[in-house]
Amino acid sequence: MQFMMLMIPAIYQSGKNVDPDFVLDPEKIAEMNKFNEALGKAVKIISLNGLHPLAVGARVAFGNSKPTVTDGPLIDSKEVLGGYWLVEAKSKEQLVEWAQRCPADPGDVIEIRQIYDA
C-alpha cells in the first residue's frame, strides 16, 4: 500500500509567514536524514523532500467564479506543509510507529494518508 506522510511543522502553524530565507538547523537536518535512512530500511521510500516556506510559494483557490491566486508572502494559513514522504508500507499502523520515532520538534504534526489505488 502507498501512503503519504505529511509534515506540518509547528513553526508553520503559528499563522505567521515564515521568512523566505528561513534555513533549518543543520543538526536537525542531520537528525532527519538519519531517521529517513532508518525508515528506508523498514519501508520503500518512493520520494521525500522538505518544502520551502509558503512565503515563496503561491496558492490557487477555487470558488464560483475564476480561480483566485495569492502569491507568496500574502498567503495566510495556519497549517502549511513543511515536507513529505511518499512510501510503500505494510500498513498505516507501521507508519504510525515510525512517525512516533521522527525527530520532530514540539508542536510538529505528521499526518499519514493512504493513497487511493488506481
Side-chain angles (χ1 to χ4, degrees):
M1 292 182 283
Q2 289 189 346
F3 294 87
M4 181 75 73
M5 297 171 61
L6 307 166
M7 172 61 85
I8 305 167
I11 192 168
Y12 290 171
Q13 294 177 42
S14 66
K16 298 176 187 171
N17 284 321
V18 175
D19 184 339
D21 297 324
F22 171 77
V23 177
L24 290 170
D25 176 354
E27 288 182 21
K28 289 300 291 182
I29 293 172
E31 285 180 60
M32 189 61 76
N33 287 340
K34 188 174 177 181
F35 168 78
N36 290 335
E37 287 176 26
L39 176 64
K41 292 176 182 173
V43 303
K44 179 181 178 185
I45 297 175
I46 299 167
S47 177
L48 65 88
N49 255 310
L51 301 171
H52 285 275
L54 192 54
V56 295
R59 181 167 280 179
V60 179
F62 297 86
N64 292 329
S65 58
K66 75 179 205 173
T68 304
V69 177
T70 308
D71 204 21
L74 304 176
I75 298 170
D76 182 32
S77 183
K78 292 191 180 181
E79 290 192 347
V80 177
L81 295 178
Y84 70 90
W85 299 261
L86 176 60
V87 302
E88 285 184 9
K90 296 176 186 170
S91 67
K92 176 184 74 174
E93 291 74 22
Q94 179 186 24
L95 294 177
V96 168
E97 288 180 22
W98 272 97
Q100 292 178 69
R101 300 178 196 171
C102 182
D105 289 331
D108 289 355
V109 173
I110 296 176
E111 184 174 319
I112 300 168
R113 308 277 298 276
Q114 186 172 354
I115 296 175
Y116 280 112
D117 293 328

